[in-house]
Amino acid sequence: MTLFVALLVLYTVGLAGLGLWIGRRVRASTDFFVAGRALGPGLLFATFLAANIGAGSTVGATGYAYRDGLAAWWWNGSAGLGSLVLAFWIGPMVWREAKRLGLMTVGDFLEHHFGRDVRGLAAAIIWLGSFFILCGQLRGAAEVLERVAGLPLPVGALVATIATTTYFIGGGLLSAAWVNQLQLVVIIVGFVAAAPYANSAAGGLEITAAGTSFWRGETVGWPTLFLLGPAFFLSPGLIQKAYGARSERTLTRGIAWNGLALMAFSLLPVILGLAARTLHPGLERAEMALPAVLASDVPYLVGAIALAAVFSAELSSADAVLFMLSTSGARDFYKGFFRPHATDADVLRVARWGAVVGALAGYGLTFVFDSVASALTLFYSVMVVTLFAPILGALFLPRGGRWGALASMLVGVMTLVTIQIATKGLGYGWATPAFLGMLASGLTYLVLAAF
């Protein structure tokens, strides 16, 4: 695939160039953090959907379908359902508050309701957890480059790290939103084109899906909703993207379109994973199912576009994580604790350097995790358990106060870790460690709010 590799290089350079060109317009932290609160529904839809279709939604979801069949729909479908909650319920409430008070991060929101201690603890936990999801995206991109170009995983991950960091640091959310539009076109065209060919080569869904259940597989199924549903309406990165909407109606439209598109898109990795299970039985790693099908079982041009789509998906989600890391580091830690009187230029400079440091740390973790899904599941679990009670409590039961928020976060995370270790990540039946941690966090907040 020499021609494809050359085109992929040109495409990557083009993304970096576009991001840097858009970034020329960024002169203040408001532009970098929330795109000047001027994103229309189209840009908001593109930056949400491109961020949400990443390594887990492509490489990971196809791998789940390879193992579990139709139940893999719930991996992306749960994200779509969670996005609808953000669009119609949580999002408008936090947007109104952010607009009124000039909030730019979830840390700003938490400090307003519960004080600096809660802001600091939440930011620390999420900041550390973000490295795991970043390494998952970078590893997913490296899987593609390994398959099509023969690049070793460390080299492929480094290429993805440099590309993402280059276009993001230019303009933050503003650059990412414009680059994400181009990435999204490639993602949708690639997957829509590849799925029918792979399905036909494998004999059709009647054959590939035979014997599998839509509701529950060995590793995914309807209980996945408890993990990924809340993750997509509590994510600091997604809430901060929502701050960038120019109006409440724009927010609802853009994010709702994203949720519906995610649920529709979720069928495509399932089709590809089922085809791979028939065409390539016995793969050493299920997460190689997607590159295997695209490289071997569809026409060359279709496969090339689809592999570019996978690469785009990983980069678009990686920039979303860099967005979360850099803005939280600059606003929540640097300005929030170390230099409260820092100038706007100082905060913007630290945000850009934070993206570089975060990218390097995420790259380093690709040597630790051997699975995209394992890294993403860990991040989603920690994020949901940490933010579930404080964000919902701030919106609906603020009298829980500072101690209620702190206690709920600590109890939730301790419960998650304890059950994760005791059950080796399996939980108890449908009650996953993340769900039980979230339940413990919520109950702790409710009890303290009652007294």
Side-chain angles (χ1 to χ4, degrees), residues 129-157:
S130 297
F131 292 123
F132 298 113
I133 191 171
L134 179 58
C135 94
Q137 309 306 327
L138 298 176
R139 188 175 182 91
E143 298 269 12
V144 175
L145 295 178
E146 180 185 40
R147 184 75 186 191
V148 302
L151 291 180
L153 276 171
V155 177

Side-chain angles (χ1 to χ4, degrees), residues 7 48 60 121 130 132 201 219 234 239 290 296 298 301 330 342 354 404 406:
L7 292 174
F48 261 82
L121 180 60
S130 297
F132 298 113
T219 51
L234 296 175
I239 289 177
L290 182 57
S296 307
V298 300
L301 180 59
L406 285 171

Side-chain angles (χ1 to χ4, degrees), residues 13 134 280 308:
V13 172
L134 179 58
H280 301 277

